[in-house]
């Protein structure tokens, strides 16, 4: 008698394969028997089917315990245990794309045949990738290995009216199966044996973990991962947004500030002037309102206690050229690494554009001074009023071990609108003038050309000095690069926005100054991705605006004349000398990204580059994990809650002074508003031990493991409920 055991999973056609094999031998005049074990009919659950073949009538109806041959339909079931009870000399016929020799370590001394039944079945459209139907494919392989011929395959399939793709798949397997006797000595593999005592209903072991390890049923397994939240991914400064928001939610403001200071020396500054791309990226924005991250950063900076500073302990000296956000960020991080850092600043005060280009109503001077003071407390030396040109830079490279150039955007972009009499004032110069010596502009008509943050700052500053202000912008409000809140607040303060209007020329008509503009319309997108403005060609396309002062704010560019050219440094044609130390560049000077947060991130990365150059120590983090997008968040498990917004001065009050417009969160009686806002965070991609996976696991195979969970794969059937119920995308299923 020949006996064969088939190991597969529900839905793959294992029982049908047993019947097809029996049919092939029955047509040859043999007595046959074919049946399956139906204890678990769930799709994907392991099953067994049996075939007996004999020259005499078969009277044994028990399951096959000692088969001659074993066929394995699912590659996840291939293991040493498949040979338990197999008689010597029989074949193991495996669904695997690998050659038989690949199993020499697992199945030494055995006769093994392999065929890529899954690949053949899918190529012929039999089943799906999740559940391929491989019975007819495996039929061709089994009959070929057992010595039958092609006609036997065709007859067996014809008996059950299977044709077309089933015949093609069977023929491909018949021709493609590979067989070999593996090297090594075959050893017996013991099966699991357990006693099953009779227990009383009141026995302590009733309800305990079952002795049947159902983990072998699984075709997939759950795993845990930590994903990158979109807020972290969207932060140009590189802050651990999720981390500091979580600390704020727990009321641990010192920890929240500590996490922020790991990446940025300016949490109070960014908590006021950052455009908050983290909030724009927040998954909660698709549910109700995004987390107000900028307000939380400001709150942490104002309520947390900063760690104590340390004096420099390294011998190397680093020079920083420029004290804007990039230069001071590099200074801060290098000082934390123990370097003695010296800053050279052309102006009489440190801060760069933070001081000269951002009005006090957005960034109070005492806030900026406090954060710069914390940087200087790290043992930093600062020289103000020192303008560094190429000769000076060459001298500095001889005196320091490394140099970082972060002079920002020194050149304002301009357009020729004047007829020789009218003048234009650059927006950045106007803001610096207002900072140093504000004068009354009562009753003046001011035109600001541009749509960025500098244009908005200039317009709002002029408004506070008493002017009637209008902004001329060639695109629409929606395309303005300025921070959205700044635009809204400017309009509230009485600034007029003229959209789709482009300046042509400034001129005098004998009465006063006029700005001639042309009306625009939006056409196809340009290289920036925004609709391209083109002039209207109608009779009323031109308009004259009377003004007393015109301010141009079209952006700035870097002054590259300071950079050294290779190892030889020249000033014009004169050879100044050879560079001494390595020179690095960063911030807006190198990238022109144009935000404080981006400059802070650039400065930190520059510090890491310098540190690696001087020591060989690499502080750059590994590549981040995939982003936890909205598709991994289960919104319905979270309660709806409106966002808390910081307090803002009313328009009538703020347009009369340079007092800070945004006041921030105010604390409630029992609980801070900031803490409540932080608790709205989804904590995307991070397990917060909500226990939903444990609650929904039908097998109870999740167990607490410290501050996390552990899967008991001996009993996990791979149903996937834990992954389906994880609200943050932490649990995922992987095919075996």
């Amino acid at each position: 008698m020949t006996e064969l055991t088939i190991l597969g999973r529900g839905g793959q056609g294992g029982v049908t394969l047993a019947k097809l094999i029996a049919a092939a031998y029955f047509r040859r005049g043999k007595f046959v028997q074919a049946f399956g074990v139906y204890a678990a009919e769930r799709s994907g659950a392991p099953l067994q089917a049996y075939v007996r073949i004999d020259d005499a009538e078969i009277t044994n109806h028990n399951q096959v315990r000692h088969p001659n041959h074993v066929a394995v339909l699912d590659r996840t079931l291939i293991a040493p245990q498949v040979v338990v009870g197999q008689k010597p000399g029989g074949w193991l016929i495996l669904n695997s794309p690998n050659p038989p020799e690949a199993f020499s370590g697992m199945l030494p001394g055995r006769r093994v045949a392999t065929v890529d039944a899954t690949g053949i079945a899918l190529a012929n459209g039999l089943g799906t990738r999740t559940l391929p139907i491989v019975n007819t494919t495996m039929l061709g392989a089994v009959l070929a290995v057992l010595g039958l011929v092609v006609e036997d395959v065709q007859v067996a399939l014809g008996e059950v009216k299977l044709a077309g793709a089933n015949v093609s798949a069977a023929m491909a397997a018949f021709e493609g199966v590979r067989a070999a006797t593996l090297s090594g000595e075959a050893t017996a593999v013991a099966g699991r044996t357990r006693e099953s005592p009779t227990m009383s209903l009141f026995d302590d072991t009733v309800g305990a973990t079952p002795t049947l390890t159902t983990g072998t049923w699984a075709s997939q397994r759950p795993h845990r991962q930590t994903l990158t939240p979109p807020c972290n991914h969207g932060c140009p400064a590189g802050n651990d947004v999720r981390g500091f928001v979580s600390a704020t939610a727990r009321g641990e403001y010192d920890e929240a500030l500590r996490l922020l200071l790991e990446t940025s020396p300016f949490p109070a500054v960014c908590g006021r002037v950052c455009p908050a791309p983290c909030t724009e990226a927040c998954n909660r924005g698709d549910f109700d309102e995004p987390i107000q991250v900028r307000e939380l950063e400001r709150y942490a900076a104002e309520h947390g206690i900063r760690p104590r500073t340390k004096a420099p302990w390294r011998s190397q000296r680093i020079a920083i050229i420029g004290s804007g956000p990039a230069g001071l960020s590099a200074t801060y991080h290098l000082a934390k690494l123990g370097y003695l850092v010296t800053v050279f600043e052309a102006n009489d005060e440190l801060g760069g554009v933070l001081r000269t280009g951002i009005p006090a109503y957005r960034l109070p001077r005492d806030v900026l001074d406090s954060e710069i003071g914390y940087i200087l407390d790290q043992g930093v030396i600062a020289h103000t009023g020192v303008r560094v040109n190429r000769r000076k830079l060459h001298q500095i490279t001889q005196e320091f071990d490394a140099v970082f150039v972060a002079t920002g955007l020194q050149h304002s972009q301009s357009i020729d609108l004047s007829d020789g009499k009218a003048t234009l004032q650059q927006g950045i110069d106007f803001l610096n003038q207002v900072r140093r010596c504000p004068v009354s502009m009562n009753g003046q008509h001011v035109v600001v050309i541009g749509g960025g943050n500098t244009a908005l700052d200039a317009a709002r500053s002029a408004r506070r000095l008493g002017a009637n202000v209008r902004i001329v912008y060639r695109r629409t409000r929606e395309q303005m690069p300025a921070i959205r809140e700044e635009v809204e607040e400017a309009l509230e303060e009485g600034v007029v926005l003229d959209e789709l209007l482009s300046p042509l020329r400034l001129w005098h008509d004998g009465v006063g100054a006029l700005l001639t503009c042309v009306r625009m319309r939006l056409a196809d997108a340009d290289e920036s991705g925004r609709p391209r403005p083109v002039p209207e060609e109608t009779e009323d396309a031109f308009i004259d605006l009377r003004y007393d002062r015109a301010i141009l704010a079209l952006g700035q560019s870097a002054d590259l004349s300071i950079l050294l050219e290779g190892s030889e440094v020249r000033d014009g044609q004169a050879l100044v000398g050879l560079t001494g130390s390595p020179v690095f560049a960063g911030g807006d000077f190198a990238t022109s990204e144009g935000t404080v947060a981006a400059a802070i991130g650039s400065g930190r990365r520059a510090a890491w580059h310098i540190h690696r150059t001087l020591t060989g120590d690499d502080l750059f983090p590994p590549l981040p994990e995939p982003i936890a997008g909205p598709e991994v968040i289960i919104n319905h498990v979270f309660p709806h809650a409106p966002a808390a917004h910081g307090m803002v001065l009313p328009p009538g009050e703020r347009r009369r002074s340079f007092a800070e417009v945004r006041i921030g969160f105010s604390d409630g009686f029992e609980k801070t508003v900031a803490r409540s806002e932080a608790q709205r965070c989804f904590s995307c991609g991070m397990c917060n031990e909500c226990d939903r996976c444990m609650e929904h696991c039908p097998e109870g195979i999740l167990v607490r493991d410290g501050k996390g969970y552990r899967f008991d794969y001996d009993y996990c059937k791979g149903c996937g409920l834990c992954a389906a119920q994880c609200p943050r995308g932490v649990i995922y299923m992987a095919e075996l």
Side-chain angles (χ1 to χ4, degrees):
M1 179 183 294
T2 299
E3 295 178 309
L4 187 143
T5 296
I6 298 170
L7 304 175
R9 295 187 183 277
Q12 291 181 319
V15 177
T16 301
L17 173 59
K19 295 177 180 179
L20 289 170
I21 295 171
Y25 279 96
F26 179 76
R27 296 292 296 180
R28 281 181 164 244
K30 299 290 186 180
F31 288 91
V32 295
Q33 182 186 80
F35 60 97
V37 177
Y38 293 97
E41 292 100 346
R42 181 176 69 84
S43 176
L47 62 76
Q48 294 179 344
Y50 306 105
V51 180
R52 286 192 174 97
I53 306 160
D54 203 356
D55 292 327
E57 184 178 354
I58 301 171
T59 57
N60 180 4
H61 297 284
N62 295 331
Q63 296 180 13
V64 173
R65 302 298 182 191
H66 300 285
N68 300 89
H69 312 293
V70 177
V72 183
L73 276 61
D74 193 286
R75 61 192 60 173
T76 64
L77 298 177
I78 300 174
Q81 286 72 27
V82 298
V83 301
V84 171
Q86 185 186 19
K87 296 175 183 176
W91 283 100
L92 290 170
I93 306 163
L94 311 178
N95 174 7
S96 172
N98 299 319
E101 292 77 12
F103 298 95
S104 296
M106 180 189 297
L107 304 167
R110 302 283 177 174
R111 303 176 76 191
V112 175
T114 62
V115 65
D116 186 10
T118 297
I120 294 173
L122 293 176
N124 285 275
L126 301 175
T128 65
R129 290 193 176 276
T130 304
L131 192 64
I133 301 173
V134 298
N135 50 6
T136 53
T137 309
M138 287 296 291
L139 172 69
V142 170
L143 296 189
V145 171
L146 298 184
L148 276 68
V149 296
V150 169
E151 288 73 15
D152 293 311
V153 178
Q154 296 168 339
V155 168
L157 293 172
E159 284 291 318
V160 291
K161 306 284 193 296
L162 290 175
N166 290 286
V167 175
S168 298
M171 292 298 103
F174 190 94
E175 298 293 336
V177 66
R178 295 168 289 181
T181 300
L182 303 184
S183 60
E185 183 177 352
T187 56
V189 177
R192 294 183 178 182
T193 58
R194 297 178 182 269
E195 295 183 0
S196 300
T198 302
M199 294 181 294
S200 162
L201 181 63
F202 303 102
D203 195 293
D204 289 339
T205 59
V206 171
T209 302
T211 58
L212 177 62
T213 54
T214 54
T216 57
W217 296 23
S219 59
Q220 58 180 356
R221 279 181 178 174
H223 298 272
R224 291 162 53 80
Q225 62 185 348
T226 298
L227 300 174
T228 300
C231 53
N232 283 27
H233 177 73
C235 178
N239 291 339
D240 180 6
V241 178
R242 178 176 60 193
F244 98 79
V245 170
S246 177
T248 304
R250 300 190 300 269
E252 299 174 3
Y253 306 123
D254 292 351
E255 174 64 9
L257 180 56
R258 185 195 67 79
L259 287 171
L260 285 165
L261 291 172
E262 285 291 314
T263 48
S264 168
F266 291 116
V269 169
C270 284
R272 289 168 166 83
V273 304
C274 183
C278 50
T279 296
E280 293 291 331
C282 178
N283 282 330
R284 181 135 198 165
D286 296 329
F287 182 58
D288 42 34
E289 291 184 86
I291 305 301
Q292 302 302 295
V293 178
R294 183 175 57 207
E295 296 286 2
L296 293 175
E297 183 172 2
R298 170 178 175 166
Y299 191 90
E302 293 177 345
H303 291 76
I305 298 175
R306 292 173 181 257
R308 296 182 62 181
T309 59
K310 297 179 181 179
W313 69 88
R314 298 181 189 269
S315 61
Q316 295 101 325
R317 300 168 64 234
I318 314 296
I320 307 294
I321 314 300
S323 68
L328 289 178
S329 174
T331 298
Y332 170 74
H333 288 286
L334 287 165
K336 284 179 61 181
L337 290 169
Y339 294 99
L340 180 59
V341 184
T342 300
V343 179
F344 295 90
E345 168 58 44
N347 292 318
D348 54 2
E349 293 181 276
L350 299 178
V353 71
L354 297 176
R355 189 175 300 278
T356 62
I358 301 179
Y361 64 81
R362 289 181 59 201
L363 179 57
R365 298 302 169 230
D366 59 332
V367 173
L368 178 60
D369 290 340
S370 175
E371 298 212 305
I372 292 178
Y374 185 68
I375 297 172
L376 297 178
D377 287 345
Q378 316 275 341
V380 173
I381 300 170
H383 297 297
T384 57
V386 179
R387 184 168 296 279
V388 177
N389 55 22
R390 185 171 290 185
R391 285 181 176 271
K392 180 65 174 178
L393 181 58
H394 172 258
Q395 176 189 339
I396 290 173
T397 66
Q398 306 299 316
E399 299 172 359
F400 291 84
D401 296 285
V403 181
F404 177 54
V405 178
T407 51
L409 303 177
Q410 299 293 320
H411 286 169
S412 296
Q413 296 183 20
S414 184
I415 53 176
D416 185 13
L417 300 174
S418 177
D419 61 356
K421 298 179 182 179
T423 58
L424 271 173
Q425 185 174 17
Q426 287 291 342
I428 200 74
D429 296 333
F430 173 74
L431 291 172
N432 196 26
Q433 175 188 326
V434 171
R435 175 183 71 89
R436 289 179 174 275
C437 184
V439 296
S440 174
M441 299 176 66
N442 283 335
Q444 291 188 23
H445 293 275
V446 175
V447 175
V448 179
I449 301 169
N453 289 323
T454 300
L456 267 295
D457 289 340
R460 296 180 71 187
S461 295
R463 184 67 176 144
R464 281 160 172 74
L465 295 174
N468 298 307
V469 185
R470 66 194 312 135
I471 295 174
V472 172
Y473 184 56
R474 62 183 186 145
R475 289 186 168 95
T476 65
R477 175 179 171 182
E478 288 71 25
Q479 278 92 49
M480 293 181 75
I483 299 173
R484 185 175 59 252
E485 293 94 333
E486 299 296 317
V487 179
E488 294 170 354
E489 291 172 3
L491 297 176
E492 292 172 354
E493 292 163 8
V495 174
V496 176
L497 173 61
D498 288 323
E499 304 173 77
L500 294 174
L501 209 59
S502 182
L504 290 179
R505 68 187 182 102
L506 300 170
W507 60 288
H508 281 258
D509 65 352
V511 177
L514 291 159
L515 171 65
T516 299
C517 301
V518 61
R519 301 185 191 278
M520 311 292 284
R521 59 181 175 82
L522 297 180
D524 296 335
D526 60 15
E527 61 275 4
S528 71
R530 295 180 296 173
R532 179 170 54 89
V534 296
E536 291 279 11
E537 298 179 354
T538 59
E539 292 182 359
D540 61 346
F542 298 95
I543 181 173
D544 291 330
L545 302 176
R546 195 168 293 281
Y547 71 93
D548 298 301
R549 184 190 296 254
I551 298 173
L552 187 65
L554 299 181
Q556 296 85 37
S557 60
D559 178 6
L560 303 180
S561 65
I562 188 177
L563 285 181
L564 307 178
E565 299 174 355
S567 59
E568 289 188 356
V569 183
R570 294 182 178 272
D571 189 359
Q573 297 298 318
L575 177 63
V576 175
L578 302 178
T579 58
S581 57
V583 178
F584 300 81
D588 284 345
F589 179 81
T591 66
S592 299
E593 292 186 56
T595 68
V596 172
I600 291 170
S602 176
R604 186 183 67 260
R605 292 189 297 273
W608 290 344
H609 277 294
I610 293 170
H611 178 68
R612 184 171 62 185
T613 300
L614 296 180
T615 69
D617 184 17
D618 192 344
L619 299 180
F620 285 87
L623 292 176
E625 297 297 326
I627 300 172
E631 69 280 356
V632 305
I633 305 299
I634 303 178
N635 288 333
H636 69 80
V637 306
F638 300 100
H640 280 278
H645 298 277
M647 297 179 65
V648 182
L649 286 179
E653 182 177 345
R654 66 190 189 225
R655 67 174 169 238
R656 293 194 298 267
S657 76
F658 282 82
E660 186 172 14
V661 170
R662 295 187 168 272
I663 305 171
F665 286 139
S666 62
D667 290 350
F669 177 69
E670 295 181 348
K671 197 175 187 180
T672 67
V673 177
R675 188 172 179 183
S676 298
E677 175 62 16
Q679 288 172 349
R680 297 176 60 246
C681 176
F682 285 164
S683 189
C684 304
M686 171 71 78
C687 177
N688 73 342
E689 303 173 47
C690 66
D691 283 351
R692 283 182 60 85
C693 53
M694 290 186 66
E695 293 168 1
H696 287 84
C697 177
E699 310 299 334
I701 60 92
L702 273 122
V703 293
R704 281 278 188 175
D705 186 8
K707 286 193 172 183
Y709 305 92
R710 177 172 56 83
F711 299 102
D712 188 345
Y713 292 128
D714 284 341
Y715 297 96
C716 175
K717 297 188 181 76
C719 67
L721 276 174
C722 54
Q725 293 298 327
C726 178
R728 297 170 176 85
V730 174
I731 301 177
Y732 68 97
M733 303 301 295
E735 296 290 330
L736 292 175

